[in-house]
Amino acid sequence: MTPSPLDNDRLVWMYTQMVRIREFEERVKRTFEEHPGVIRGHTHLADGVEASIVGSVANMQPGDYVLTTYRCHGYPIALGTDTKAIMAEIYGRATGICKGLGGSMHLCDPSRGFLGTSGIVGQGIPHATGAAYAAQIRGEGQVVLCFFGDGASKQGAFHESLNIAALWKLPIVYVMENNGYNVETQTHQEDANAAAGEDLSVKAKAYSMPGVTIDGGDPVAVYETVGAAMERARRGEGPTLIESKVYRLSAHGNLIAPPGVPLHYPEHEAIAVFGDREQYEAALKGDPVPQFRGRLVNDGVMTNEQAEEILKAARDEMQEAVTFGVESPFPENDEALAYVYA
Amino acid sequence: MSHELPYIAAIDEAIRLEMERDETVIYFGQNMATTENAPFRQQFGNDRVRVTPISETAEIGMAVGAALAGYRPVVELYMAEFMLVAMDQVVNEGPRFRAMSGGQVKVPLVLKAGWGFTAGWAGQHTGTLTNMFMGIPGLKVVSPSTAADAKGLMASAIRDDNPVVYFHNYLLTLDHGEVPDGEYLVPLGVADVRREGSDVTIVANAHMLNQSLKAAETLAGEGIQAEVIDPRTYAPLDVDTILESVGKTGRLVLVDSAPRHSAASNVIAGEVVERGFDLLKAPIVQVTALDATVPYSEPLEAYVIPDADRVAAAVRGVLGTAPVGA
Amino acid sequence: MTADDARRLLRTMWRIRHFEERVGRLKRTDEVFGLIHLSVGQEGVAAATCLQLRDDDAVYSGHRAHGHALAKGALLPRVMAELMGRETGVCRGMGGSMHLVDVEHGFLGATGVVGGNIPMALGSALAARRLGGDTVAVVFFGDGAVQAGHFNETVNLAALWGLPLIMVCENNGFAEFTPRSAHTVVERVSDVVSPYGIVRETVDGNDVLAVWERFGAFLARARAGEGPFLLECLTVRLRGHYEGDPAAYREAIADEEWQKMDPILRLQRHALAQGWVDEDEPAAIEAEAAEEVEAAVAFGRESAFPPPELVAELVYAGSDA
C-alpha cells in the first residue's frame, strides 16, 4: 500500500536533488545581474518548493509521465535532464533542451516522461488527464503526475478534468502546490475554501475523489503521500487530489520591464504588496532545504561534510551550466519555421 | 470501385477504417457512444470510444495530452462553436507544443466540428469560423465539400502528425456522393478544381461551393465559363492552384459564408493581389455574409448569407455583363 | 401557498404546456425554425420559481427557455411571434427559440451554449449587490452544465463574495442525449457544490408545492443579503432533447405513471382537495390557456417578418440612436 521505504542513499539522493534545484534557481536569479539581457521574458522560480517536487517525482517509475505549470525548472532537474541544456534553454540558445524555442516556461523532456507544460494557468491539467487516459488504455501500469498551483483550481479546466478522471478512474495524481499566492493575490482573496479557512483538498469532494493536504516542505511526507496515491492509481483505483502546502521564496516572477532595462527579481509579494515581513521571515526559517539537511545530519543519514560536498558539487554544476549557456550559440533563423508542422 | 454514401456517413467510414488500421486512434466526445450498441463502441470497445461530459476544455485538452502520450485522438465536437468554449486549448495549447519543445513532441489530433447550420439555428450555431483558425501556426484546417472528400480528408487528418480542425458543413450532412472503397486519402493542402472555365475563377467551399456551381450553370447559359475551385484545406492553403486559374481567367470572385471582415476570402485575396496582381484584368470581388450575427428569422437569414444569385451577380459585375433577359 | 397562488401557478403551467405542445406542432409544419427544445413536463419548476420574482430580478435560462420566459412575464404572443421569426417577437425575430430575451420583465436571456448563462447570472448578482437593493439573480440550467468549467468558476466566486444568486438546476437525468451516469460519478448536483458550503437542497421538481416553498425560503434569504443558493429540482423531460429527436437512448415513461407525476395534475389534485379551486375551475383555466396560445399563433401569422435594415441596425449599440 505504501511506497518502498527510503534507505539512506535514497534520502541523500533526495537532498542532493533539492540542493541542485535550489542552486540552479539561484543562478537563474543571479543571471539577471551577472549577464543582463541574457534571460528574456518571464521566469518563475521554485526555490522553497524543492521538497514537494523531489518528494513527488522520486516515486516515478520508467514510463510514468509528468506535466507541470510554467514554474517548471525543478522537475526536469530532479528527473536527470542535463542542467546545461535547461540553462541554455532559459538563455534561448540552440543547445537548449527545446533548442531555444521554448524558454523558461516551456521546458519539455519526453525522454524522461516530462511531456511539457502550459504557460496558461490550469490548462495543463486536461493535458495530464489525457495522458492518463492514454496510460489507461495502453494498460502498462503507467501513472501520471500532474502539478499545478492553487490558482489553477479556480479554472474550469480543473473542474472538468477532475470530474472525468474520477468518472473514468484514470491513473493520475493531481498535486496542487499551494504557495498561498496567485501572482500577488493571496489565496483567501480568491478562493471560497481558503476564505472559509479550509484546506483546498476539500475540493476533491465535488468529484467523489480522495483529497489530502500535506506539508509540502517535508520531502518524506510528500514522498509517502504521493507514492501511496500513485500506487492506488497504478492499481486502477483512480485519481487523488493532493494539496501540497509550500512557500515560494522568490516573487512570482522576474520584474517585467521594457527591453534595455535590466530585469531582476523583486521582493516577495508578502513584503512588496502586503508589507508582511513576518510572514516571509517565518517562511525563511522553515526553508525546506536546510531543514532537511539538519534532519538527515541529526538522524545520522548524512554528515555535514557530505552536505558541503553536495552543495559544492551543485554549485560547480550550475556554474558549468551558466558558462555553457552563455557561450552557446543562438539558433539559426530557419529553426523558427522548422517545427511549425510535424 | 466506389459506393454511394451521404457526406456524414463518409466521415464515419473514414474514422472506422482508420481505427481498424491503427490501434492508437481513439474517438471521444459528448453524446456519442452512450450505450453499448453505439456502432463505434460496439466495434472498438469502451477504451477507445468514450462519451464525455459537456466539458470542452477537458475534452480538447485531454486530446492534446493523449497525443503527447502517443495516441491519435479524434474529438467529436458536434458544433464548431463549442471550440470557442475551449479557445485556449484549440489555439494556444495543442498547436504550440511542437514548436515550443523544439520539435521534441508532436500533437496528432483531429477536432471534428460541424458548422454552418444556417437553417434557423440563429446566432450561436451558424458561424463560419474557418478564418478564425487558419492563421494559427501549427494548426491545420480542412473543410470537405463532397462525400468523397469528407472521407479522404478525414483519413488524412487522422494520419497527419499535427492538430487538425476538421470542419464538416451541416447543410451537406445528407448530400449523397460516390465514395471510393477502402483506403482513400485526399492530401491536405491541395485544392480541387471542381469545374473548368476560362472567363472567371470562383473560389468557394461546402454549401457556398454548391451555390457557386449552381451559379456557374446559370452563367454558362449566358455564355460565361466559370472555373470553380474548392480549397478543401485552409491551412496549409493551396494558393498556387488559385493563382494558376487566375492566370487563365484574369478574374476572381471569392465566395465565403463568413462575415466580410472575418472571411478566409480576405486571406486568399491578399495572396493573389500580392503574387498575381499582373494576372488580374479586374478587381477581385468577395461575396461574403454581412458583418452581422446570423439572424433567426428566415428571410433575414437569407438576407445575410450569400446564395447562387448573388454569386452570379458578382460574376456578371466582374465581367461587365448583364443577366439574360435583363 | 394561497388559493390565489395556486390559481396563478395552474394558469402559468397550463399556458406553458399548451405553448410547448403547439410549438411542437408548428415545428412539424416549419412555421418555427431551427432547433427547438421543449420543456413539457418541467413546467412546475419555471412556474413555482418565476412567479415569486419581480421584474427587477434578473433571470437567465439556457436552450430550453420558453417556460422560464413565459413564467417570468414575457408576453405569450410576443414569445410565439419570436419563435415564428416575426418583427413583433420579443427579440424582433432575431433571436428565436434559443435566444429569448425580454428585458422589460427581467428575463435577461437565454443562451444556446450549455452553461454559458451561469457566469452571466453571477454578473447580475454582483450588480444587484453593488446597486444595494434587494434584487436577486436566478439562473436555470440542466445537470449537463454542471460538468462545464464555468459552473465551478461561478460557484467559487459566488461563494467567496456571498452574492444573491440562486442557481436552479433542473436535473432531468439527461445531458442532451447522455445519461448523467456517463458524465460523472457524483449522483446529486447539490453534492458538486458541497465543498463550497453553499446552502443547497434537492427537491422533487414535479412537486410544485415543494419547489414553491424551498425557492421562496431561498429567495427571502437572498433578498435579505444572503447567498448564494442552489436548488436542485429533479424533473422529467417528456420529449426528446430537441423536436425531432427519436430519443432512442432511453425508455419512454408510461402514461399512467406520468399522470401521477405530472406537476400540473398534482397541483390540481391538491388544490381541489384543499378547496382552493372549484371542481370545474382547472378545466376552465386550461381552456383559457389553450385559447390564448391559439390567439398567439394567429398574432404571429399576421405579423410581418422583420425588415432587412434591422440587421445592420443591431450590429452595434448606438447605431439606432
Side-chain angles (χ1 to χ4, degrees):
Chain A
M1 293 300 278
T2 50
S4 48
L6 294 162
D7 60 23
N8 287 358
D9 284 353
R10 196 66 178 153
L11 287 165
V12 172
W13 177 86
M14 282 171 73
Y15 176 70
T16 307
Q17 304 320 309
M18 287 169 65
V19 170
R20 289 177 68 234
I21 295 172
R22 173 63 56 89
E23 291 306 311
F24 184 91
E25 299 292 50
E26 284 300 320
R27 290 312 299 263
V28 172
K29 214 170 184 176
R30 265 170 59 192
T31 300
F32 290 110
E33 270 100 48
E34 291 173 357
H35 305 286
V38 161
I39 299 180
R40 306 177 67 248
H42 215 186
T43 307
H44 308 81
L45 303 183
D47 47 337
V49 192
E50 298 89 346
S52 184
I53 296 170
V54 174
S56 300
V57 303
N59 286 291
M60 283 177 69
Q61 294 177 11
D64 288 348
Y65 295 128
V66 57
L67 293 95
T68 79
T69 71
Y70 47 79
R71 193 179 301 285
C72 62
H73 306 166
Y75 311 94
I77 294 173
L79 287 170
T81 306
D82 186 351
T83 45
K84 291 201 289 294
I86 303 176
M87 195 66 88
E89 184 59 36
I90 296 168
Y91 293 179
R93 308 301 164 123
T95 52
I97 183 79
C98 302
K99 303 190 170 74
L101 274 75
S104 166
M105 288 195 275
H106 303 293
L107 300 178
C108 176
D109 186 356
S111 70
R112 290 179 171 76
F114 181 31
L115 293 187
T117 75
S118 174
I120 310 295
V121 169
Q123 299 305 315
I125 303 174
H127 303 162
T129 309
Y133 175 29
Q136 183 181 58
I137 39 187
R138 191 174 282 133
E140 292 171 5
Q142 297 167 285
V143 173
V144 179
L145 271 178
C146 172
F147 291 93
F148 53 93
D150 49 291
S153 66
K154 264 69 66 188
Q155 275 285 325
F158 167 84
H159 176 69
E160 295 183 359
S161 300
L162 267 69
N163 176 61
I164 292 177
L167 178 67
W168 294 357
K169 286 190 183 301
L170 295 180
I172 184 166
V173 178
Y174 295 102
V175 183
M176 180 205 295
E177 293 172 325
N178 180 359
N179 61 28
Y181 285 83
N182 161 9
V183 189
E184 59 174 57
T185 303
Q186 290 184 336
T187 308
H188 66 85
Q189 296 177 297
E190 51 118 33
D191 185 291
N193 297 125
E198 295 163 351
D199 286 335
L200 269 52
S201 59
V202 71
K203 293 179 197 295
K205 260 170 56 181
Y207 316 103
S208 298
M209 183 190 293
V212 280
T213 294
I214 52 168
D215 173 8
D218 176 352
V220 175
V222 174
Y223 173 79
E224 285 169 356
T225 310
V226 173
M230 286 179 80
E231 290 293 313
R232 180 174 181 275
R234 230 182 276 286
R235 287 194 305 269
E237 291 168 27
T240 306
L241 173 65
I242 296 170
E243 179 197 16
S244 175
K245 287 190 164 173
V246 296
Y247 199 98
R248 62 170 156 75
L249 294 171
S250 293
H252 168 71
N254 57 299
L255 206 69
I256 307 284
V261 179
L263 303 163
H264 62 88
Y265 262 77
E267 274 194 302
H268 189 276
E269 291 78 4
I271 303 165
V273 181
F274 296 93
D276 189 350
R277 194 166 288 277
E278 263 176 45
Q279 184 199 73
Y280 185 73
E281 273 163 15
L284 269 186
K285 268 190 207 131
D287 183 343
V289 178
Q291 289 276 341
F292 195 42
R293 171 177 167 160
R295 176 167 156 187
L296 294 187
V297 171
N298 271 345
D299 291 355
V301 174
M302 176 177 76
T303 64
N304 266 320
E305 292 68 37
Q306 252 179 304
E308 285 305 314
E309 277 164 31
I310 290 167
L311 180 61
K312 186 181 179 307
R315 284 186 171 154
D316 290 348
E317 179 190 350
M318 301 319 155
Q319 178 58 52
E320 227 180 290
V322 169
T323 306
F324 175 81
V326 172
E327 288 174 357
S328 288
F330 288 107
E332 299 292 330
N333 283 349
D334 56 7
E335 285 284 285
L337 295 177
Y339 311 107
V340 174
Y341 292 126
Chain B
M1 288 296 286
S2 68
H3 53 295
E4 198 190 298
L5 271 186
Y7 178 85
I8 196 78
I11 303 173
D12 277 3
E13 182 169 292
I15 299 173
R16 184 171 54 74
L17 288 172
E18 289 307 303
M19 290 188 78
E20 284 169 359
R21 179 184 162 270
D22 179 355
E23 279 223 338
T24 68
V25 179
I26 54 180
Y27 189 22
F28 54 88
Q30 294 166 24
N31 295 307
M32 57 177 294
T34 50
T35 67
E36 299 285 347
N37 322 324
F40 276 97
R41 189 156 145 199
Q42 212 166 29
Q43 185 176 355
F44 299 105
N46 191 38
D47 267 357
R48 292 175 66 196
V49 179
R50 278 190 194 177
V51 60
T52 64
I54 302 172
S55 305
E56 285 84 4
T57 294
E59 292 162 48
I60 300 172
M62 285 177 65
V64 175
L68 288 170
Y71 282 80
R72 290 180 181 275
V74 179
V75 186
E76 175 60 79
L77 286 157
Y78 287 98
M79 289 286 167
E81 276 83 359
F82 297 167
M83 285 192 290
L84 306 184
V85 179
M87 202 64 165
D88 178 66
Q89 292 295 338
V90 181
V91 171
N92 212 18
E93 302 290 340
R96 309 282 190 219
F97 263 66
R98 177 169 176 76
M100 295 193 306
S101 71
Q104 291 183 86
V105 297
K106 58 183 184 184
V107 186
L109 62 88
V110 179
L111 303 178
K112 177 174 175 280
W115 65 282
F117 223 133
T118 40
W121 283 51
Q124 290 184 318
H125 297 79
T126 46
T128 303
L129 308 181
T130 329
N131 191 44
M132 201 177 271
F133 297 104
M134 72 184 285
I136 309 302
L139 185 64
K140 294 190 177 180
V141 177
V142 304
S143 179
S145 306
T146 66
D149 282 352
K151 175 176 176 177
L153 286 172
M154 177 52 91
S156 295
I158 293 173
R159 292 191 198 183
D160 198 274
D161 279 338
N162 299 283
V164 181
V165 176
Y166 179 97
F167 283 115
H168 60 97
N169 187 232
Y170 267 123
L171 295 184
L172 308 183
T173 300
L174 299 177
D175 282 9
H176 284 246
E178 282 300 313
V179 175
D181 293 345
E183 180 178 80
Y184 178 61
L185 297 161
V186 172
L188 305 191
V190 180
D192 186 25
V193 179
R194 286 294 304 277
R195 188 185 202 281
E196 294 202 13
S198 50
D199 299 327
V200 61
T201 302
I202 302 174
V203 178
N205 175 251
H207 178 58
M208 288 298 114
L209 176 74
N210 290 351
Q211 295 295 306
S212 299
L213 289 168
K214 200 171 140 194
E217 286 301 313
T218 307
L219 292 163
E222 299 168 18
I224 299 167
Q225 292 307 321
E227 180 143 305
V228 182
I229 295 176
D230 176 6
R232 297 197 291 193
T233 303
Y234 281 90
L237 183 66
D238 181 3
V239 179
D240 291 345
T241 296
I242 298 168
L243 274 173
E244 201 177 302
S245 175
V246 173
K248 194 165 67 173
T249 63
R251 293 174 176 88
L252 182 60
V253 172
L254 299 165
V255 186
D256 201 315
S257 51
R260 187 169 173 84
H261 287 175
S262 69
S265 61
N266 303 168
V267 178
I268 298 171
E271 291 287 347
V272 171
V273 167
E274 188 170 331
R275 292 172 56 189
F277 189 75
D278 294 343
L279 305 174
L280 290 166
K281 296 177 194 158
I284 296 170
V285 170
Q286 297 180 62
V287 181
T288 67
L290 305 182
D291 278 319
T293 292
V294 177
Y296 168 69
S297 188
E298 196 169 21
L300 293 201
E301 184 187 91
Y303 171 70
V304 166
I305 307 284
D307 59 10
D309 288 348
R310 253 178 269 179
V311 175
V315 168
R316 291 184 200 110
V318 166
L319 285 156
T321 64
V324 170
Chain C
M1 187 185 291
T2 65
D4 213 37
D5 293 332
R7 263 189 219 100
R8 287 168 60 221
L9 284 162
L10 286 172
R11 194 175 305 125
T12 302
M13 290 192 291
W14 276 123
R15 289 169 86 235
I16 298 172
R17 175 73 53 91
H18 280 279
F19 183 92
E20 296 291 55
E21 287 179 345
R22 192 70 182 89
V23 169
R25 293 207 299 281
L26 288 174
K27 173 66 187 166
R28 287 198 286 278
T29 55
D30 278 338
E31 282 192 80
V32 298
F33 319 120
L35 194 59
I36 301 286
H37 307 84
L38 300 183
S39 64
V40 179
Q42 298 179 230
E43 300 89 347
V45 178
T49 54
C50 291
L51 287 187
Q52 304 193 58
L53 296 170
R54 306 188 309 237
D55 283 351
D56 60 350
D57 294 320
V59 165
Y60 291 85
S61 179
H63 52 271
R64 201 178 303 286
H66 307 163
H68 304 133
L70 292 173
K72 189 73 198 331
L75 299 178
L76 192 145
R78 295 198 61 202
V79 179
M80 186 64 87
E82 182 61 34
L83 266 60
M84 296 170 82
R86 308 301 165 125
E87 198 185 3
T88 52
V90 279
C91 306
R92 302 165 80 181
M94 303 297 275
S97 168
M98 285 192 281
H99 309 293
L100 296 174
V101 176
D102 182 15
V103 173
E104 191 187 340
H105 295 99
F107 189 71
L108 288 196
T111 168
V113 179
V114 171
N117 52 349
I118 303 174
M120 288 159 66
L122 180 71
S124 279
L126 178 63
R129 172 60 45 80
R130 298 293 305 157
L131 291 167
D134 66 348
T135 59
V136 304
V138 177
V139 58
F140 294 96
F141 51 90
D143 49 301
V146 172
Q147 284 67 246
H150 27 293
F151 174 75
N152 202 55
E153 296 179 3
T154 304
V155 164
N156 176 64
L157 279 176
L160 181 69
W161 294 343
L163 295 179
L165 174 69
I166 307 177
M167 296 173 275
V168 181
C169 178
E170 292 170 305
N171 184 350
N172 60 27
F174 281 87
E176 297 176 359
F177 318 97
T178 304
R180 180 162 177 78
S181 58
H183 275 188
T184 178
V185 289
V186 185
E187 193 189 339
R188 289 282 166 83
V189 171
S190 52
D191 294 336
V192 179
V193 301
S194 69
Y196 299 91
I198 286 175
V199 180
R200 57 195 183 275
E201 284 220 46
T202 301
V203 296
D204 175 358
N206 294 321
D207 181 347
V208 180
L209 286 158
V211 177
W212 175 272
E213 185 200 312
R214 300 293 152 69
F215 183 80
F218 284 172
L219 180 61
R221 290 173 67 179
R223 292 222 191 280
E226 284 186 66
F229 302 93
L230 181 126
L231 184 66
E232 178 182 21
C233 301
L234 304 176
T235 64
V236 177
R237 193 183 74 203
L238 280 189
R239 303 177 90 97
H241 169 56
Y242 63 92
E243 281 311 280
D245 173 14
Y249 46 86
R250 61 171 196 174
E251 283 179 29
I253 190 160
D255 220 24
E256 238 169 84
E257 200 186 336
W258 175 246
Q259 299 287 323
K260 282 184 234 156
M261 294 163 71
D262 185 330
I264 307 183
L265 300 183
R266 268 172 83 174
L267 184 64
Q268 276 186 189
R269 287 193 290 268
H270 182 77
L272 284 166
Q274 294 286 318
W276 287 345
V277 293
D278 298 334
E279 195 76 27
D280 42 6
E281 211 176 335
I285 292 174
E286 185 190 352
E288 199 187 316
E291 273 170 38
E292 209 185 327
V293 168
E294 263 335 294
V297 173
F299 172 76
R301 284 176 179 155
E302 283 160 16
S303 297
F305 286 108
E309 303 78 59
L310 191 59
V311 172
E313 193 183 317
L314 294 179
V315 173
Y316 295 120
S319 59
D320 54 346

